[in-house]
Amino acid sequence: MSAIPRLPLTRNIRRGAAPFSRAEYEQADGYLAVRDTLGKVEPASLIALIAASGLGGCGGGGFPTGRKWQLMPGKDQRPGPRYLLINADEMEPGTFKDRLLLEGDPHQMIEGIILSAYALQADHAYIFVRGEYLTAIERLNHAIAEAEAAGLIGENILGSGFDLSVQVHGGAGRYICGEETALLNSLEGRRAIPRSKPPFPQVNGLWGCPTIVNNVETICNVPHIVRYGADWYRGLGVNGALGTKIYGVSGRVRNPGTFELPMGTPMRDMIEDHAGGMKDGYRLTAVLPGGASTAFLMAENLDVPMTFADMAKHGTRLGTGTAIVLDDKTCPVGFIANLQQFFARESCGWCAPCRDGLPWVERTLKSIEAGEGRATDLDLLLEMTGNLGPGRTFCALAPGAMASLQSGLQYFGPVFEQHIATKACPWT
Amino acid sequence: MSIVERQPPLDATERAAIAELIAHYPTARAAAIDSLKYVQQRRRYVSDGTLHEVAHLLGMSAAELDEVATFYNLIYRKPVGEKVILLCDSISCWITGRDQLAAHIHQRLGIRQGETTADGRFTLLPIVCLGDCDHAPVMMVGDTLHGNVDTAALDAIFQPAESDTP
């Protein structure tokens, strides 16, 4: 019997070593939650438990998982296939947390899927893994085969009458697949173009059937909440937050990496204590708290707890919780230009503001960075943050792109002006 | 050039494999990406002829399948080298010097983004964040992920390719 964990998601993960086999996972009390739940607990009470835990979506949005699940029509209302789709299409620049969970403990992922699918009475689960995550795909397939052999996946699981198939679907690229309705199109063998909402996937998802799309980290929390309860989960956080989070940081810090910490841990603690602070000779200018589509958090605000609500107070978002550090030896204009290059290339091309606006933004920023900017460029960029902002485009890709640009213009205005006035980048 | 410009028709093994992929989904077209990836693994890229044949097996028109094939950056509709180099150009790798690595690749192999070496060994393509940012700069060469890449590491990776060349 293992002790009650404080950092549940990573408790089985041995970095640099092979993940637990099914036997090892079960020795560490793995699949106990499945054995205690299937056929013994009402699916509806499992959904109520997840709602009570306050678990929020860990893909970047933070939407309450229980509420999302409650929006799926019941099996009696909507007979026919029901799907659980795991979004493992991790492609947000600077984000590398789901890789840790998929490679480090695939059985935790599988157990989360079994429990979640049971709660939702879904008969099929797909794990949509980005095509480049070859190790994750291989380990998941191995874990699925082990679970099938042990009767944990398949027909009439553990005699409960519940049937579930689990299948890994490898992607073929494109960031937009991470948008949940684009993910549906991609899995159906179409271009990954977002669908209009409503109807939401919960009602009308894969092949028109009720479908819940959840992030890897979200579902990996489920076995622990089922086993230890909603109160235990709520008690894991600090500074008023719930649960734990796989945070991470990259850039010029001493020890870039991923760290499971109590939700609500201040950004400064992660960067200074866990990542060892900045490398010698570098100072921190600002941070993107959770991937390329979050706004800058400036150095003076580093004590903010890493929660969805606290980040919003500083005009940014927690996003994926994996931070990117902008240091004093890196040009903010070049930094933002690189982000816009990413978004311009990854636009699916469906709606004009995104398809045509983002390349315009990219070229304007690159010309400023190259010393060819004009005084009117800053007004143009500011205007674009409005034209490509929330409500102006079909999905959140372009508004996400504007987060770094808008906050960059706000915080680094003099740096932009200096580039234009001196016709050169001061950093080169 | 060692790159094959024409591809033979799908053989029985390939047809059976695609039928098996289709069986995993409620609709045949859901196996489109799996099927394209499968034939590409065997043939390195997806030629027009191959695309037509795969489309037929999936019950799609060639135009419909090409619409899918050209959308996804890991499906190659033109010949590529024996190994594709995916050098990350997203933010964490840009901060840690991926532009210098691209310059070194150009100097060493004579290729820029989108180009293939004259001996057909390598194609260099851009790629978004590979999700290994704590080891930036990062790249994939074929199926292998390389982290903390520097110019010495690049030289080591490209060395065997050159020594094989007569």
Side-chain angles (χ1 to χ4, degrees):
Chain A
M1 178 90 183
S2 306
I4 294 177
R6 299 294 302 170
L7 300 174
L9 294 173
T10 52
R11 65 174 181 169
N12 294 335
I13 296 180
R14 304 164 295 186
R15 300 196 190 226
F20 275 6
S21 65
R22 185 196 55 83
E24 289 171 301
Y25 184 76
E26 292 218 52
Q27 261 162 21
D29 292 350
Y31 291 118
L32 269 185
V34 166
R35 292 181 191 283
D36 291 344
T37 301
L38 266 56
K40 296 171 185 165
V41 175
E42 279 298 311
S45 63
L46 212 51
I47 295 178
L49 171 73
I50 296 304
S53 75
L55 175 65
C58 302
F63 189 83
T65 305
R67 204 184 307 162
K68 190 184 232 186
W69 289 10
Q70 284 162 345
L71 292 170
M72 194 187 208
K75 213 175 165 91
D76 45 341
Q77 294 164 269
R78 278 286 293 274
R82 304 158 70 79
Y83 296 98
L84 172 64
L85 174 51
I86 305 302
N87 187 346
D89 196 57
E90 181 168 70
M91 233 181 275
E92 175 85 15
T95 301
F96 48 106
K97 67 179 183 69
D98 294 338
R99 181 194 279 276
L100 174 77
L101 294 170
L102 297 168
E103 292 184 358
D105 198 5
H107 278 289
Q108 175 176 251
M109 176 87 263
I110 305 299
E111 185 173 17
I113 289 171
I114 298 168
L115 290 163
S116 305
Y118 176 75
L120 299 163
Q121 291 293 288
D123 18 42
H124 303 283
Y126 292 102
I127 313 173
F128 190 115
V129 188
R130 67 178 294 189
E132 298 92 337
Y133 276 17
L134 295 165
T135 304
I137 290 171
E138 184 192 317
R139 290 180 179 180
L140 284 168
N141 277 325
H142 181 73
I144 290 168
E146 282 189 313
E148 282 172 346
L152 293 158
I153 298 174
E155 287 178 13
N156 190 20
I157 299 170
L158 304 173
S160 65
F162 176 62
D163 303 338
L164 175 68
S165 70
V166 181
Q167 185 184 332
V168 173
H169 177 94
R174 298 308 294 269
Y175 168 71
I176 193 63
C177 294
E179 201 280 344
E180 68 174 8
T181 59
L183 193 71
L184 302 173
N185 277 336
S186 188
L187 188 55
E188 290 183 7
R190 303 171 192 281
R191 286 191 160 212
I193 290 162
R195 297 178 181 177
S196 66
K197 294 188 276 192
F200 288 90
Q202 294 92 312
V203 178
N204 198 329
L206 279 174
W207 300 289
C209 301
T211 304
I212 292 288
V213 185
N214 278 134
N215 167 262
V216 168
E217 186 183 354
T218 312
I219 296 301
C220 285
N221 274 296
V222 170
H224 308 292
I225 295 170
V226 171
R227 188 153 155 67
Y228 300 109
D231 288 341
W232 162 84
Y233 180 77
R234 297 179 76 90
L236 294 177
V238 294
N239 292 317
L242 322 166
T244 67
K245 177 86 189 75
I246 310 279
Y247 293 111
V249 59
S250 65
R252 282 168 168 150
V253 293
R254 276 206 188 86
N255 307 309
T258 43
F259 316 98
E260 184 182 14
L261 301 171
M263 183 72 111
T265 300
M267 176 71 82
R268 186 185 301 284
D269 289 13
M270 174 179 63
I271 292 177
E272 293 182 358
D273 300 344
H274 299 279
M278 297 300 288
K279 282 185 174 165
D280 289 339
Y282 295 98
R283 282 191 308 116
L284 184 148
T285 304
V287 170
L288 296 183
S293 51
T294 56
F296 287 104
L297 179 79
M298 299 305 284
E300 62 265 29
N301 295 324
L302 225 51
D303 290 308
V304 60
M306 293 186 285
T307 69
F308 291 97
D310 290 286
M311 287 297 171
K313 284 181 205 157
H314 290 276
T316 184
R317 296 189 307 118
L318 179 63
T320 61
T322 40
I324 307 154
V325 171
L326 168 64
D327 61 80
D328 61 338
K329 302 272 176 19
T330 300
C331 173
V333 177
F335 186 98
I336 298 166
N338 176 274
L339 297 171
Q340 300 304 322
Q341 168 189 289
F342 163 81
F343 286 109
R345 197 172 65 208
E346 294 304 313
S347 170
C348 78
W350 179 249
C351 69
C354 181
R355 179 185 63 235
D356 295 342
L358 287 172
W360 196 356
V361 168
E362 180 197 349
R363 286 196 301 272
T364 305
L365 285 165
K366 284 189 170 170
S367 72
I368 294 173
E369 177 67 358
E372 294 159 6
R374 292 174 298 192
T376 52
D377 285 346
L378 294 184
D379 290 337
L380 171 76
L381 289 173
L382 194 62
E383 194 186 331
M384 294 301 259
T385 63
N387 292 344
L388 298 179
R392 300 294 185 93
T393 56
F394 203 68
C395 81
L397 185 139
M402 292 303 102
S404 64
L405 179 61
Q406 187 178 25
S407 59
L409 290 167
Q410 180 188 339
Y411 297 129
F412 303 115
V415 172
F416 280 88
E417 285 160 14
Q418 193 184 354
H419 277 74
I420 293 168
T422 62
K423 297 192 183 304
C425 172
W427 274 267
T428 51
Chain B
M1 291 284 277
S2 62
I3 290 171
V4 181
E5 298 290 355
R6 281 182 177 280
Q7 295 181 337
L10 295 178
D11 62 26
T13 308
E14 289 169 324
R15 289 173 171 277
I18 291 170
E20 165 73 17
L21 292 172
I22 291 171
H24 284 146
Y25 296 96
T27 65
R29 85 172 287 158
I33 290 168
D34 284 351
S35 303
L36 291 167
K37 284 169 72 172
Y38 168 76
V39 294
Q40 180 170 287
Q41 205 167 29
R42 294 173 61 92
R43 293 154 177 253
R44 218 186 287 172
Y45 79 102
V46 183
S47 72
D48 290 351
T50 300
L51 182 97
H52 273 79
E53 284 194 278
V54 173
H56 184 72
L57 293 176
L58 294 168
M60 297 167 74
S61 72
E64 280 179 310
L65 185 60
D66 204 19
E67 178 186 291
V68 174
T70 54
F71 185 85
Y72 295 96
N73 55 290
L74 297 181
I75 304 295
Y76 310 134
R77 284 285 282 113
K78 290 180 181 171
V80 293
E82 279 167 46
K83 285 190 174 168
V84 173
I85 305 167
L86 298 173
L87 177 64
C88 174
D89 59 12
S90 291
I91 190 67
S92 305
C93 291
W94 177 79
I95 293 172
T96 49
R98 64 85 53 201
D99 284 352
Q100 289 89 307
L101 298 179
H104 190 76
I105 291 173
H106 180 242
Q107 186 198 341
R108 172 109 200 175
L109 299 178
I111 51 172
R112 295 187 199 277
Q113 268 182 191
E115 296 176 349
T116 301
T117 53
D119 63 2
R121 299 298 298 264
F122 295 105
T123 296
L124 178 64
L125 294 177
I127 188 76
V128 301
C129 181
L130 285 164
D132 197 32
C133 316
D134 44 347
H135 302 112
V138 175
M139 67 176 184
M140 287 183 81
V141 180
D143 287 347
T144 309
L145 181 69
H146 299 271
N148 299 313
V149 181
D150 55 18
T151 53
L154 287 180
D155 288 342
I157 290 163
F158 300 136
Q159 195 63 48
E162 288 182 342
S163 61
D164 288 351
T165 310

